Amino acid sequence: MRNDLLTRLAERTAAREHDQLTRRLRTIDRVEGPWVWVGNKRLLSFCSNDYLGLSQHPDVVAQLRRANSAGSGSAHLICGHRAEHAALEQVLAEWTGRERALLFSSGYMANLGTLQALLRDGDLCVQDKLNHACLLDGASLSGATLARYVHADVASASRQLATAGDVPALLATDGVFSMDGDIAPLSELATLCEAQNATLMVDDAHGLGVLGKDGAGSVEAAGLGQQQVPVLMATLGKALGCYGAFVAGSASLIDGLLQTARPYIYTTATPPALAAATLTAVQVARRESWRRERLGSLIARFRAGAAQLGLSLLPSMTAIQPLLLGEAATALEAARVLEAEGFMVTAIRPPTVPRGKARLRITLSAAHADEHVDRLLEALARFASRPPHPSPLPRQSQGRGG
Ligand SMILES: *Cc1c(COP(=O)(O)O)cnc(C)c1O
């Protein structure tokens, strides 16, 4: 007797619920700076990736208002590639110090497309254990052998590369780790890849706009050019406050992706007005370096305050400042208590993070005021000093957050 797929899916959902791992959608009715409205409740958000506060920048939003068409009409290779996309690609290439850049409709698709274009059956794809899910999915899709190394451990990466003999190899890493906020040891990884003749790919979704003197990301901060990091991918929906992604590198890499990356070829190009808005966001991010400095000072303020309170933060110097809580139930409880106090901070639970490593993923933005950070710290201190919660948690507290 054939098993029913929908029944099986429902069983899986029920198992997640049992483990307090149910994800729940929150509808945000309105956003204003760091504030969000959920229904008629106003919450101070510490969970957006809009690190520079550019998603509501008047010059950026003005580009969307100026549009005379909403959609691009087709894929890039049919007739969807507009002057706005071309101009944005040129600026992204120049900014990141690469020959060319290619826009993808999202970061997820950029990683799937790039890995599937570069790798084949029998190749080796070496990845950091904490890489973003879409890098792992891209490797699976490519047919290459996926070998994961201990987080940020260059010796472990080296062992994984060495075991494969002479097969073509790609080493892929997040530049800034999305759930931990720490920065990959990029210079050491670049040296390793050079010595082992492996191709290095960096996913800088959380570094672009934020790190580097000119905001060009973790690769700029590490002083690594196209030679050392031949495949650079970054997203446009985080610090740039817009949407989409790109891959930058040599002209031959970009042409190869354009010819063969299926998630590039077989999808509709993003709206041209979005490309124009993104180009403005890049210009603002570069010009208004005070946003990076402001973010840096908020990070320092938050970390100093947390240290005083004895809170166990991860060793992150970026806008992602996770508070490790352990059990999924504890992270949910923390998110619930904070929400009752007027904050939105998402609990991150398995399988997004390893079991026993559930956390609050606190993110800071140049849009926050000092006083916002102070208020969050006070609320975290109250949570940390609460009397131990009787377990198990009441049913209604399940399923909050991400
Ligand atoms: C967000 C993210 C992605 C996916 O990008 P989208 O544009 O949201 O699809 C890829 N890699 C990392 C490291 C990310 O954090």
Side-chain angles (χ1 to χ4, degrees):
M1 190 43 184
R2 210 190 291 279
N3 274 333
D4 178 62
L5 292 178
L6 295 179
T7 306
R8 190 175 68 188
L9 179 64
E11 284 164 4
R12 205 170 142 193
T13 309
R16 288 234 171 151
E17 166 107 31
H18 177 264
D19 293 340
Q20 307 224 29
L21 298 178
T22 301
R23 299 172 192 260
R24 199 179 66 148
L25 263 179
R26 309 300 307 274
T27 301
I28 307 291
D29 292 294
R30 190 156 78 84
V31 178
E32 203 179 300
W35 297 97
V36 298
W37 278 257
V38 178
N40 51 18
K41 210 160 49 163
R42 189 179 78 147
L43 301 171
L44 187 53
S45 167
F46 282 96
C47 44
S48 165
N49 300 318
D50 185 13
Y51 305 125
L52 299 176
L54 293 183
S55 73
Q56 296 197 306
H57 192 287
D59 297 352
V60 174
V61 176
Q63 293 292 352
L64 295 176
R65 296 222 169 90
R66 202 168 293 159
N68 82 344
S69 61
S72 65
S74 85
H76 282 277
L77 289 162
I78 308 294
C79 61
H81 190 64
R82 303 283 195 87
E84 290 89 340
H85 297 116
L88 175 59
E89 287 179 339
Q90 209 159 26
V91 164
L92 290 170
E94 186 259 320
W95 189 24
T96 55
R98 265 70 186 161
E99 266 169 51
R100 279 184 65 188
L102 189 71
L103 287 175
F104 281 80
S105 293
S106 77
Y108 202 112
M109 293 164 77
N111 280 342
L112 291 192
T114 304
L115 292 176
Q116 165 254 313
L118 285 169
L119 294 165
R120 300 189 194 157
D121 269 5
D123 290 349
L124 175 67
C125 184
V126 175
Q127 298 205 19
D128 190 292
K129 268 219 146 99
L130 297 189
N131 273 357
H132 193 269
C134 58
L135 281 170
L136 302 171
D137 293 354
S140 309
L141 189 66
S142 75
T145 306
L146 172 63
R148 298 166 80 187
Y149 58 88
V150 178
H151 175 53
D153 185 332
V154 181
S156 169
S158 174
R159 282 193 296 276
Q160 295 286 18
L161 275 175
T163 53
D166 280 343
V167 304
L170 179 107
L171 189 153
T173 181
D174 285 14
V176 173
F177 289 89
S178 55
M179 296 299 139
D180 288 54
D182 57 333
I183 301 170
L186 293 177
S187 298
E188 291 91 332
L189 289 172
T191 306
L192 170 67
C193 285
E194 197 186 354
Q196 299 263 355
N197 199 23
T199 302
L200 177 57
M201 170 173 181
V202 175
D203 171 342
D204 209 21
H206 298 275
L208 189 80
V210 171
L211 298 176
K213 217 169 136 45
D214 190 27
S218 61
V219 166
E220 185 208 346
L224 299 172
Q226 184 176 297
Q227 185 73 29
Q228 293 110 333
V229 181
V231 188
L232 171 61
M233 172 276 184
T235 68
L236 308 169
K238 285 160 183 160
L240 291 173
C242 293
Y243 179 78
F246 70 96
V247 174
S250 68
S252 96
L253 169 73
I254 297 309
D255 196 44
L257 294 178
L258 186 144
Q259 301 300 330
T260 58
R262 296 169 65 86
Y264 176 80
I265 300 169
Y266 298 108
T267 203
T268 301
T270 51
L274 190 62
T278 310
L279 194 152
T280 299
V282 171
Q283 290 166 340
V284 175
R286 296 179 78 175
R287 185 174 68 227
E288 300 188 0
S289 56
W290 62 263
R291 290 177 187 271
R292 275 185 289 289
E293 286 151 26
R294 176 80 198 119
L295 182 60
S297 99
L298 288 165
I299 294 166
R301 188 180 188 92
F302 179 73
R303 289 192 68 85
Q308 248 175 11
L309 296 167
L311 298 174
S312 65
L313 293 181
L314 294 181
S316 158
M317 297 316 288
T318 68
I320 303 164
Q321 292 291 331
L323 180 65
L324 205 56
L325 292 168
E327 292 311 309
T330 315
L332 284 178
E333 173 68 1
R336 195 189 60 75
V337 167
L338 286 173
E339 180 167 331
E341 298 203 28
F343 299 94
M344 185 169 190
V345 187
T346 310
I348 305 285
R349 293 162 289 160
T352 306
V353 291
R355 275 194 180 274
K357 298 228 165 135
R359 64 198 65 185
L360 287 180
R361 180 177 179 271
I362 296 161
T363 54
L364 301 170
S365 162
H368 286 126
D370 286 354
E371 172 240 350
H372 295 153
V373 168
D374 296 347
R375 277 165 50 195
L376 176 66
L377 284 165
E378 287 158 22
L380 290 173
R382 280 194 294 277
F383 177 75
S385 63
R386 80 205 185 287
H389 198 281
S391 60
L393 285 172
R395 302 287 297 177
Q396 67 268 24
S397 70
Q398 291 191 1
R400 241 160 236 270

